[in-house]
Amino acid sequence: MSILTSPRGKVEVVHCRRTESQDIFCIKSLIRKFTQKLFGRLNIIYLLEKANLAVTVCNDKEEIMAHSIFLDYPNWNVAKQDNWIPVFRELDKEIPCTPLNTLFMHFFVAVDEYATGCLKEIIRTVFKAVPELYFIFLIVPTYVSLGSTLITVFDQVGNIPCLNYNEDFAVHICHRHNHYPQLHIRKARVEDHDDLMPIFMHYDNTLKEIYGEYFLAELIEAQDEDHHAVVCEVEGKAVGFMSVCSSVNLPLLHECFDLGAFHGFCFPHPDDILKPSEEPSPEESEDTGSKSDSQGSHKVVVDQEMISEMIQDKETETVSQEEVLSTVLNRVSEEIQNIGKSLSVLSVADDDDVASSLSSSLLFSLEFSHFRPLYMGDSAAFCIQLFCIEERYEARSLDFMSFVFSLFPDKNFCLISVPHLTPEFALIQNFVKVVPFSNCTLDHDLYAFHRAGLLRSITIRLARFLDTPGVENLVSTLLLSTKILDDLTLYNEAGRDSDGTELQVFVAEVADQIVGIAVIRKEMDIEYIRSHYNIEDFIYFSHHQQEEHGRLNHFALNPIFRHYTKFFLKEILRLGYKSCLYYPVYSQTREGKLQSSYSHSLTSALHYLVPVRPRRQIVYPLEKLGINAPSKEVSKDQVSYALNHTNRKLTLEPKVTVNARIVVVGASSVGISFLETLVFCSHLKFNNLTLISTHGLPGKKLLGNEQRKFLASDHCFNDKDYALMSLCSWVNVVVGRMTAIDRAAKQVVVAKDEIVFYDHLIICTGLQYQVPCPTGADTEQQLTNREVMELSKQRYTGTVPSNLFILNDEEDCVRTLFWLRSNSILTEGKVIVYGNTLDAFTTVETLLHIGMKGSCIYFVHPPAESNITCINNDVVESAVEDALSAAGVTVYHDALLAQWNNGQDPDPIYNACFTTSTKLFRLECSAFFSFYKKNVDYETFKAFNDACLVYDGRLVIDTTFHTNDIAIRAAGSLTKFSNRYYSNEWTHSNFSSKEIGFQLAAAMLSLFDPTLEPVTEPPADLDRLIPMYKGAKIQGGILPGSYHYLHISKPAIPTPLDLQRSQPDFGTDIVTGNAKKGTYFRLYINNYKLVEAITCFSKKPFPSSNYIRLFGQHEQVLNNLCTRFDDKLIPDLYSYFTEPWCMALFHDRFIDLKKELRQILISKQEEDKPTLEQLAYQLEEEEINLNEKPQKYLQRVFEESIYKSLLEKSILDYLHYNQYHLPMYAWPGII
C-alpha cells in the first residue's frame, strides 16, 4: 500500500497488482492521443497476451489508476526480438544490458492527476518483482517529448533507427538503483543489536526467551573463522541479519537426502565410492536413471577456478552493476518460530545438549533398498544458521550471498534448512530444493545454492555443431540421452524432424560451458489441444498464430542453475518466436516404460509449468451428423496424455510453494478428486503430496477393460481420466496399507514398519467388502435366519480360503480373472456369488461373458437390511431376473452363509451351507465371490481406535471434514457426521464422491492459497447444519443379459421408487422403450420441471457421459421435452438425444453459457425498469395485477425489452466461439 497525493491535495491509497483480463475496458478509457503518439495504436488485448509483465495500480475502491506493460524485446520495430542486444550495446557500451536484466516498457497510461506517483509505484513494483532486472528501456519517436510524467524516471541515452522505415527513435532508460537499489552487505557489529532486535521480535521472541535479551550481541561477538555474522544496511541502519557457519552435519544429510547431483556437498576424492560394487537390479538402475533425469543432470561439472575468478572480478565492480545478485519476489516467512526451527539443523552443534536433542528427534530406517554413494572428500558447504530481514527489503535477500561466499572462499555450496510448514521466502526462491530419501524423517526441507549460481552471465542461444561434446557431457546420465543427442543432430543438419516438423534446439551456456539444453518442436496438434484441454484458461487462443505454439520435447538444466529455469523458458519463447509451450506427459505401460513413439524426457522444468485441465468431450453420433460432424483433428481418438503449459504471461509470474506434508490415505474417488483439485491449482506448487494406497494410483489398464465389468462404476474417473491427470507427476505414492496413526509424532505407520510423516492427514479409504463370517449354524439343528442373524455380523478371524474372492478394486479383479483361467474354473468349476449389491450383478454378468455356463453359477442373495434394492426399479429388476433365468443361473433369496466345508478347514472352499427363513441348503463350489456388506477394514478401524479418533460405526467428522484431531480430516463413505447435527441418515455416501473430494480440497485451500479470503468460523449456534451437495449420484455397469445400465439421481436418502411416485409433489415420469427388449429410458422431471433422475437400460452401449449432462437441466432446455412427449412426438429417448440440436447440451461450456444468460437477465440493463428477476419476484408476491397468465406476461415483457437481443447475441457468440466442437449449428453469415 502506498499513499499518493495529487497536485490539488487529494489523497489516494493505492496498491499494485498483476493485470487481469477484466481490467481491459478501464485501461482503454485511460488512453489519450498523447498515449498513441508515444506507443502507437495498440491492440491492448493482443499486447497483454504477449506481455511478460503487466502491472495495474488500483485505489482502495479497486478503481484502476494506472497500467503499464513490459516485454523482453523493444517496441517500434527498432530491432528484431531475437537480436536486440548488439543494437543497444552499440548505443551505450557502459550499459551492460542482457536479456536477463532488461525489460522494455511498451505501454503506460494513468489517471492524469496521479500519473507521476502511479508511474513511480509501478517502476518500484517491477524492480521488486523481478530482482534480476536492472534496466527498463522506453523507446518513443524522436519528435515526441516524454511529457511531465515519464521524464521523472527515464533518462535519454541516444537514438536508433527503425528497421522498416526511415525514422529515428529516442531510447530512454530507467535504472534500478534509483528506485529499489541493492543492499549494502558488511560484517555485523555489536552496535547493530538495537537495529536488528525489533526485526527478530516482529516474527518471534523464542530466541530471546531461551538465550536472553542479548543473545544477538553475543552471537555477533563470538565470530571466528568458522562462524560469521553479516548484516545488510540501508542509510546506515541494519535491516537484515545472516549467521553462517562452516560446520555442516554431512553424515546426517547423506542419510536423509539424495545428494548425487551435488557430489554429496563434498570435494572429489580418489576414495569416493560412487557406484555399487556389483551390478544393480533393473529396478534400481531404472529408478536411478529416473531421478537423475528429473534433476536435469546427475553431475555438477563446472570449472571452479574460472567461476571464482569471475565472481571476484564482479566484487570489484560498483554495486549498481547488473551482475550483482538478486532473487524472486515472494512473501517473507516467519523464519524464527521456535528454537528448533530458528537454528539450522545443518550445522554441527558444539553444545552436547543441543546435539543430543537433535539426534534423538531423528528416526531412520536401518535398511536401504538402494545403493548410497560414499563421499570421502572434505566438505564443500557452509550453512545459514540464522536469517532475518525487514519485510520491505526481502526481495533483495539474495544480495547477502556474494558476501557470505567471499567469507568462505574454499566452499562451493551454501545450505539452509527450513521447517516443512514454513512458506518459501524470498531468499530460498533461488535455491534448489534437495530431494529427500523416502525414509527421511527429518522435519526440515533442505535447500542448496552453488557458488556458480552467483553468475549473471548465463546465455541462452540456438545450438551449434560445436555444442555436441558439451551436450553429451551434460545429458550422459539421462535415460533418453540418445534421443536428445539425435534431435540435436537433426537440428544441426536440417532444422527439421525426420517427418518434416520444424525443430529448434536451445542451449544454456555459462563460462563457456553448456549447462542446459531444450528441444522444441512446432506444435502440429494445436486444434486437438484447444478442443481437448482448457488451454483458454491461460490464453486468448485467437491472438496466437499457429506457428507461435511449440512443444517442449526435452529440457535438461544443471541443478546448480535450476533457479534460471523460468529465464531459460522465457528466452526460448523470445528467441524461437513462440508465445506458448506445451509439454505432454504420457501414461506408462504396465512395464513402466515410456512409449517409444512418444519419448519425451522427464523434465526438471515441470514445476515451472502449469497443468492444464482436460475438457470433457461430447460423444458424437458421427453417422447421424454426417458432414456436420466435427473435423478429424477434433474428434480423433489418440493416446491420452496430461498437458502442461507455459506462455509469455507466465514467465515472470511466481508460484506459491507449499511444502506442507499432505498425506492422503486411500485411492478412492474422494481421494483422487481431492488430489486432482490441489494439483490443478495453477498458481500453487505442492511439493509434498503423498498418497498411501494398497495398490498405488489407479488407472493402470492392467488387462484392458475386461476386468472393469466385475465391478459397477460410479462414473467419477476412468482409465482415460487418470492418463489425462498424470497424478504420478505430482504425487508421491506409498504402496501399502495404513496400520497405525501416531498423532503425537504426526506419522502414519504403513505395513507395520514403514513410517510416513504428515502435517495434514486426509483419510479417504472408503468402505470395502469384507470376508463374510459364517454363522456356524449346525446343519443337524436346521436353524433358520432368525436364530443366527446376529452371528453374521461378527468379524471373521479364521483362515481366509484361497478360492474366496473379495473384489474391491481393479487389482483384485485382475488376480481373480487370472486365477479363474489358470485353474480351468470357467469350463469345469461351479461358482457361488454371494451378495445383493450392484457389484454382485455385474460380477455374474462378467462370469457369463468370459465363458462360464449359467448352470454353474449360484447367485445367493443374503437377507436385505431394507426394502430398497440396489436397482430400485421393478421394471429393470424383472428384466434382470428373466435374463438370469434364461442364462440358467440359479438364484436363492434371503439366504445367510452358515458354514464352509461343513465346518471343517475352509481352505479351499468345496461347499457352502446357507440358512433361510424356513430351511438350510448346501451348494458345491470351486470359487466363492462375496459381496456381503461393505464396512471399514479392520486394520483401518484399529488404527483409528488406537489413535483415539472418535468412531461411532464410522469415523466421526464435522461439517469441515475435521475429526477430533485438527490435523486429521476424513471424507467419503468411511465417515459420518457428529451426532450433534442430528442427521444420522445423511452421510457422504449420499453424495457424489467426486464432489466430496473437491469440497474437501476447497476447505483446505484456504490454508495455503494467499488469493483466498481467510475462512471465518461460523457462530456456534449456526454450526448445526450439515452441508448439502448438489452433484449427481451415479451408478452403472453391465447387468446379466448384457444390459448396459446407468442410473443418475440427485443426492437423497434412499426411498423406494413406488413410495416416491405416491407423493403428491412427485412430478412427471417420461419413459420410452421396454426393459426386457433393452430399450428402456426413464427421465424423471420434478415439479420444478428439472431433470432429477435418469435411468438407462439398454442392450446397446450408449454415451453415458452425454446423459450425465442432462441431470439438472430444465425440460424446456431439452427442446420442450414434456410437451413433445405428451404430443407423442418422442417414441425413443435414445434416438431423441442423438439429434444434432442437443449436442450443445453435452458441451463442457454449456453451463457457462447458462450462467452468462442468467447474469444478463438479472442485471439491470434499462433505467427505471425492473429486471426480469425482479418482475418474477413481484408476480410471486402478487404485487402486480394481471389480466393474463404470468408466464405470458413475462414472455411479452421479454420480447419487448433489450434482453432478447442480448441473449441472442450471447448464444450466437457461444456457438461461433465453440464452432470447432459444434459445427452442426448455423448462425448468421453461413447460410
Side-chain angles (χ1 to χ4, degrees), residues 578-613:
K578 304 294 183 187
S579 59
C580 301
L581 287 179
Y582 305 93
Y583 178 74
V585 177
Y586 289 89
S587 61
Q588 294 180 332
T589 63
R590 188 178 183 183
E591 293 78 16
K593 297 178 181 178
L594 290 173
Q595 300 173 39
S596 58
S597 58
Y598 301 100
S599 294
H600 292 68
S601 61
L602 299 175
T603 173
S604 58
L606 192 60
H607 274 298
Y608 298 93
L609 309 177
V610 293
V612 185
R613 280 188 178 274

Coordinates of all heavy atoms in Angstrom, one line a residue, residues 578-613:
K578 N 8.1 -17.9 -30.2 CA 6.9 -18.6 -29.8 C 6.2 -17.8 -28.7 O 6.8 -16.9 -28.0 CB 7.4 -20.0 -29.2 CG 8.2 -20.9 -30.1 CD 7.4 -21.3 -31.3 CE 8.1 -22.3 -32.1 NZ 7.4 -22.6 -33.4
S579 N 5.0 -18.1 -28.5 CA 4.2 -17.5 -27.4 C 3.7 -18.5 -26.4 O 3.4 -18.1 -25.3 CB 3.0 -16.7 -28.0 OG 2.1 -17.5 -28.7
C580 N 3.7 -19.7 -26.8 CA 3.2 -20.8 -25.9 C 4.0 -22.1 -26.1 O 4.5 -22.4 -27.2 CB 1.7 -21.2 -26.2 SG 0.6 -19.8 -26.1
L581 N 4.2 -22.7 -25.0 CA 4.9 -24.0 -25.0 C 4.0 -25.1 -24.3 O 3.4 -24.8 -23.3 CB 6.3 -23.9 -24.2 CG 7.4 -23.2 -24.9 CD1 8.7 -23.2 -24.0 CD2 7.7 -23.8 -26.3
Y582 N 4.1 -26.3 -24.8 CA 3.3 -27.4 -24.3 C 4.2 -28.6 -24.0 O 5.1 -28.9 -24.8 CB 2.2 -27.8 -25.3 CG 1.3 -26.7 -25.7 CD1 1.6 -25.9 -26.8 CD2 0.2 -26.3 -24.9 CE1 0.8 -24.8 -27.2 CE2 -0.6 -25.2 -25.3 CZ -0.3 -24.5 -26.4 OH -1.1 -23.4 -26.8
Y583 N 3.9 -29.2 -22.9 CA 4.7 -30.4 -22.5 C 3.8 -31.5 -22.1 O 3.1 -31.5 -21.1 CB 5.7 -30.1 -21.4 CG 6.5 -31.2 -20.9 CD1 7.6 -31.7 -21.7 CD2 6.2 -31.9 -19.7 CE1 8.3 -32.8 -21.3 CE2 6.9 -33.0 -19.3 CZ 8.0 -33.4 -20.1 OH 8.7 -34.5 -19.7
P584 N 3.7 -32.6 -23.0 CA 2.8 -33.7 -22.7 C 3.5 -34.7 -21.8 O 4.7 -35.0 -21.9 CB 2.5 -34.3 -24.1 CG 3.7 -34.0 -24.9 CD 4.3 -32.7 -24.3
V585 N 2.7 -35.3 -20.9 CA 3.2 -36.4 -20.1 C 2.3 -37.6 -20.4 O 1.1 -37.6 -20.1 CB 3.1 -36.1 -18.6 CG1 3.6 -37.3 -17.8 CG2 4.0 -34.9 -18.3
Y586 N 2.9 -38.6 -21.1 CA 2.1 -39.8 -21.5 C 2.1 -40.8 -20.3 O 3.1 -40.9 -19.6 CB 2.7 -40.4 -22.7 CG 2.5 -39.6 -23.9 CD1 3.4 -38.6 -24.3 CD2 1.4 -39.8 -24.7 CE1 3.2 -37.9 -25.5 CE2 1.2 -39.1 -25.9 CZ 2.1 -38.1 -26.2 OH 1.9 -37.3 -27.4
S587 N 1.0 -41.5 -20.2 CA 0.9 -42.6 -19.2 C 1.8 -43.7 -19.5 O 2.2 -43.9 -20.7 CB -0.5 -43.1 -19.0 OG -0.9 -43.7 -20.3
Q588 N 2.3 -44.4 -18.5 CA 3.2 -45.5 -18.7 C 2.4 -46.8 -18.9 O 1.3 -47.0 -18.5 CB 4.1 -45.6 -17.5 CG 5.0 -44.4 -17.3 CD 5.9 -44.6 -16.1 OE1 5.6 -45.2 -15.2 NE2 7.1 -44.0 -16.2
T589 N 3.1 -47.8 -19.5 CA 2.6 -49.1 -19.7 C 2.7 -49.9 -18.5 O 3.3 -49.5 -17.5 CB 3.3 -49.8 -20.9 OG1 4.7 -50.0 -20.5 CG2 3.2 -49.0 -22.2
R590 N 2.3 -51.1 -18.5 CA 2.4 -52.0 -17.3 C 3.8 -52.2 -16.9 O 4.1 -52.3 -15.7 CB 1.7 -53.3 -17.6 CG 1.6 -54.2 -16.3 CD 0.8 -55.5 -16.7 NE 0.6 -56.3 -15.5 CZ 0.1 -57.5 -15.5 NH1 -0.3 -58.0 -16.6 NH2 -0.1 -58.2 -14.3
E591 N 4.7 -52.3 -17.9 CA 6.1 -52.5 -17.6 C 6.8 -51.2 -17.0 O 7.9 -51.3 -16.6 CB 6.9 -53.0 -18.8 CG 6.5 -54.4 -19.3 CD 5.2 -54.4 -20.0 OE1 4.7 -53.3 -20.5 OE2 4.6 -55.4 -20.2
G592 N 6.1 -50.1 -17.1 CA 6.7 -48.9 -16.6 C 7.6 -48.2 -17.5 O 8.3 -47.3 -17.2
K593 N 7.6 -48.6 -18.8 CA 8.5 -47.9 -19.8 C 7.7 -46.9 -20.6 O 6.6 -47.1 -20.9 CB 9.1 -49.0 -20.7 CG 10.0 -50.0 -20.0 CD 10.5 -51.0 -21.0 CE 11.3 -52.1 -20.3 NZ 11.8 -53.1 -21.2
L594 N 8.4 -45.8 -20.9 CA 7.8 -44.8 -21.8 C 7.5 -45.4 -23.2 O 8.3 -46.2 -23.7 CB 8.7 -43.6 -21.9 CG 8.8 -42.8 -20.6 CD1 9.9 -41.7 -20.9 CD2 7.5 -42.1 -20.2
Q595 N 6.3 -45.0 -23.7 CA 6.0 -45.5 -25.1 C 7.0 -44.8 -26.0 O 7.2 -43.6 -26.1 CB 4.6 -45.0 -25.4 CG 3.6 -45.7 -24.4 CD 2.2 -45.1 -24.7 OE1 1.8 -44.9 -25.8 NE2 1.4 -44.9 -23.6
S596 N 7.6 -45.7 -26.8 CA 8.7 -45.2 -27.7 C 8.4 -44.1 -28.6 O 9.2 -43.3 -28.9 CB 9.3 -46.5 -28.4 OG 8.3 -47.0 -29.2
S597 N 7.2 -44.2 -29.2 CA 6.8 -43.2 -30.2 C 6.5 -41.9 -29.6 O 6.3 -40.9 -30.3 CB 5.6 -43.7 -31.0 OG 4.5 -44.0 -30.1
Y598 N 6.4 -41.8 -28.3 CA 6.1 -40.5 -27.6 C 7.2 -40.2 -26.6 O 6.9 -39.9 -25.4 CB 4.7 -40.5 -27.0 CG 3.6 -40.8 -28.0 CD1 3.1 -42.0 -28.1 CD2 3.2 -39.8 -28.8 CE1 2.1 -42.3 -29.0 CE2 2.2 -40.0 -29.7 CZ 1.6 -41.3 -29.8 OH 0.6 -41.5 -30.7
S599 N 8.4 -40.4 -26.9 CA 9.5 -40.3 -25.9 C 9.8 -38.8 -25.6 O 10.6 -38.2 -26.3 CB 10.8 -41.0 -26.4 OG 10.5 -42.4 -26.5
H600 N 9.2 -38.3 -24.6 CA 9.6 -37.0 -24.0 C 10.4 -37.3 -22.8 O 9.9 -38.0 -21.9 CB 8.3 -36.2 -23.8 CG 7.6 -35.8 -25.0 ND1 6.9 -36.7 -25.8 CD2 7.4 -34.5 -25.5 CE1 6.3 -36.0 -26.7 NE2 6.6 -34.7 -26.6
S601 N 11.5 -36.7 -22.6 CA 12.3 -36.9 -21.4 C 11.6 -36.2 -20.3 O 11.0 -35.2 -20.4 CB 13.7 -36.4 -21.6 OG 13.7 -35.0 -21.9
L602 N 11.8 -36.8 -19.1 CA 11.3 -36.1 -17.9 C 12.1 -34.8 -17.7 O 13.2 -34.7 -18.1 CB 11.6 -37.0 -16.6 CG 11.0 -38.4 -16.6 CD1 11.4 -39.2 -15.4 CD2 9.5 -38.3 -16.6
T603 N 11.4 -33.8 -17.2 CA 12.0 -32.5 -17.2 C 11.9 -31.9 -15.8 O 10.9 -32.0 -15.1 CB 11.2 -31.6 -18.1 OG1 11.7 -30.3 -18.0 CG2 9.8 -31.6 -17.9
S604 N 13.0 -31.3 -15.4 CA 13.1 -30.6 -14.1 C 12.3 -29.3 -14.2 O 12.1 -28.6 -13.2 CB 14.5 -30.3 -13.8 OG 15.2 -29.5 -14.8
A605 N 11.8 -28.9 -15.4 CA 11.1 -27.7 -15.6 C 9.6 -27.9 -15.3 O 8.8 -26.9 -15.3 CB 11.2 -27.1 -17.0
L606 N 9.2 -29.1 -14.9 CA 7.7 -29.4 -14.8 C 7.1 -28.5 -13.8 O 6.0 -28.0 -14.0 CB 7.5 -30.8 -14.5 CG 6.1 -31.4 -14.6 CD1 5.6 -31.2 -16.0 CD2 6.0 -32.8 -14.1
H607 N 7.8 -28.2 -12.7 CA 7.1 -27.4 -11.6 C 7.0 -25.9 -12.0 O 6.3 -25.1 -11.4 CB 8.0 -27.5 -10.3 CG 7.6 -28.6 -9.5 ND1 6.3 -28.8 -8.9 CD2 8.3 -29.7 -9.1 CE1 6.3 -29.9 -8.2 NE2 7.4 -30.5 -8.3
Y608 N 7.7 -25.5 -13.1 CA 7.6 -24.1 -13.6 C 6.5 -24.0 -14.7 O 6.3 -22.9 -15.2 CB 8.9 -23.7 -14.1 CG 10.0 -23.6 -13.1 CD1 10.9 -24.7 -12.9 CD2 10.1 -22.5 -12.2 CE1 11.8 -24.7 -11.9 CE2 11.1 -22.5 -11.2 CZ 11.9 -23.6 -11.1 OH 12.9 -23.6 -10.1
L609 N 5.9 -25.1 -15.1 CA 4.8 -25.1 -16.0 C 3.5 -25.3 -15.2 O 3.5 -25.6 -14.0 CB 4.9 -26.3 -17.0 CG 6.3 -26.4 -17.7 CD1 6.3 -27.7 -18.6 CD2 6.6 -25.2 -18.5
V610 N 2.4 -25.0 -15.9 CA 1.1 -25.2 -15.2 C 0.4 -26.4 -15.8 O 0.4 -26.5 -17.0 CB 0.2 -23.9 -15.3 CG1 0.9 -22.8 -14.5 CG2 0.0 -23.5 -16.8
P611 N -0.2 -27.2 -15.0 CA -1.0 -28.3 -15.6 C -2.3 -27.8 -16.1 O -2.9 -26.9 -15.5 CB -1.2 -29.3 -14.4 CG -1.1 -28.4 -13.2 CD -0.2 -27.3 -13.5
V612 N -2.7 -28.3 -17.3 CA -3.9 -27.9 -17.9 C -5.0 -28.9 -17.8 O -4.8 -30.1 -18.1 CB -3.7 -27.6 -19.4 CG1 -4.9 -27.0 -20.1 CG2 -2.5 -26.7 -19.6
R613 N -6.2 -28.5 -17.3 CA -7.3 -29.4 -17.1 C -7.8 -30.0 -18.4 O -8.0 -29.2 -19.4 CB -8.5 -28.8 -16.4 CG -8.3 -28.7 -14.9 CD -9.5 -28.2 -14.2 NE -9.4 -28.1 -12.8 CZ -9.6 -29.1 -12.0 NH1 -10.0 -30.3 -12.5 NH2 -9.5 -29.0 -10.7

